Amino acid sequence: MKLLPKNLEAIIFDLGGVVLNLNPQKTIESFAQLTGHPVEKVIKASNHELFKQFEKGLIDSSTFRRGLNQLLGTTLSDEALDNAWNAMLLDLPKDRLQLLGGLSNRFKTFVLSNTNEIHVTAFEETVRQVAEGNPIDAYFYKVYYSNKVGMRKPDAEIFELVMHENSLHPSKTLFIDDTLEHIESAKQLGLHTWHLTDQEELFAVFGNE
């Protein structure tokens, strides 16, 4: 079981795959079904710079949708594109949200997510449904979305932004993410890290906090 650093003052959580259940494969499969393209072709298209631009907020939703249709050679409606794009967003277990939100009694807790305008609209609605109308901000000290700050993981600048704005010391801060590339970047900056591969481990570690 993961042991927390003794001098811990702050915890930075990834959103998808840590707080929110996530399955990117469902989006790949949805686009393959919509377009009739092989999964391999959809995966290749997903590596286009368009997606990073959207996550950094450099383009809006309309421009992203047009770009998707161009990439895929389709004329799909906004609704069809959004439904396929959001297919990766699964449920938000209320007990997990409450568990992590409760940690704010002991630590400064943050969310740091690579995301985009379409996903934010969808999962913020999920949070409101699960949390009786409360926004995700009610459970964490501060929430950072890549599309709002113009930066994305694993780039060092987004970690440095969170650390600087909140006067966090790397040696007293834990970063939890399900993507190894992001974990390695945080390690380079001196943060404690936890590569989360099983969300149930959060209860084992934080259940007694």
Side-chain angles (χ1 to χ4, degrees):
M1 186 174 74
K2 180 77 176 181
L3 295 177
L4 298 179
K6 291 182 180 179
N7 62 343
L8 190 63
E9 294 181 356
I11 307 174
I12 304 171
F13 296 95
D14 177 31
L15 181 62
V18 176
V19 182
L20 178 81
N21 287 334
L22 190 74
N23 186 350
Q25 184 63 26
K26 286 188 174 293
T27 284
I28 298 294
E29 292 170 354
S30 292
F31 277 117
Q33 186 175 7
L34 267 179
T35 62
H37 296 327
V39 166
E40 293 75 18
K41 184 174 181 178
V42 176
I43 292 173
K44 184 177 180 180
S46 71
N47 292 320
H48 193 276
E49 188 66 21
L50 176 77
F51 298 91
K52 289 183 180 179
Q53 291 176 342
F54 196 34
E55 282 192 341
K56 286 188 174 183
L58 300 177
I59 58 175
D60 62 15
S61 296
S62 297
T63 303
F64 176 69
R65 294 185 188 105
R66 285 197 299 272
L68 272 182
N69 270 324
Q70 289 172 0
L71 270 177
L72 298 170
T74 54
T75 54
L76 296 167
S77 68
D78 290 355
E79 182 180 10
L81 290 169
D82 287 1
N83 287 340
W85 182 233
N86 287 333
M88 70 176 76
L89 305 177
L90 305 182
D91 62 312
L92 174 63
K94 186 175 182 179
D95 57 349
R96 187 187 303 153
L97 181 62
Q98 291 175 332
L99 172 76
L100 301 182
L103 295 175
S104 60
N105 295 325
R106 285 196 55 199
F107 311 105
K108 274 189 175 181
T109 57
F110 303 86
V111 164
L112 177 58
S113 176
N114 280 359
T115 189
N116 57 81
E117 191 175 39
I118 296 172
H119 281 172
V120 168
T121 299
F123 63 62
E124 286 193 342
E125 177 57 31
T126 298
V127 172
R128 284 191 289 270
Q129 291 175 4
V130 169
E132 289 81 39
N134 288 321
I136 193 168
D137 309 59
Y139 292 86
F140 299 91
Y141 184 77
K142 193 167 183 180
V143 175
Y144 288 87
Y145 295 146
S146 63
N147 65 306
K148 298 289 181 66
V149 299
M151 311 170 192
R152 67 188 291 277
K153 300 175 289 186
D155 297 342
E157 61 180 357
I158 195 167
F159 293 102
E160 291 168 345
L161 174 73
V162 177
M163 304 295 286
H164 175 72
E165 284 194 352
N166 301 284
S167 301
L168 305 182
H169 195 284
S171 68
K172 298 180 180 180
T173 303
L174 173 65
F175 173 62
I176 304 175
D177 200 296
D178 65 328
T179 301
L180 189 56
E181 184 182 16
H182 302 163
I183 290 292
E184 295 300 331
S185 180
K187 277 183 181 178
Q188 293 296 316
L189 296 172
L191 281 78
H192 295 284
T193 59
W194 178 0
H195 181 214
L196 188 69
T197 56
D198 180 358
Q199 288 159 312
E200 291 305 311
E201 291 179 7
L202 293 169
F203 288 91
V205 173
F206 293 126
N208 296 320
E209 291 295 322

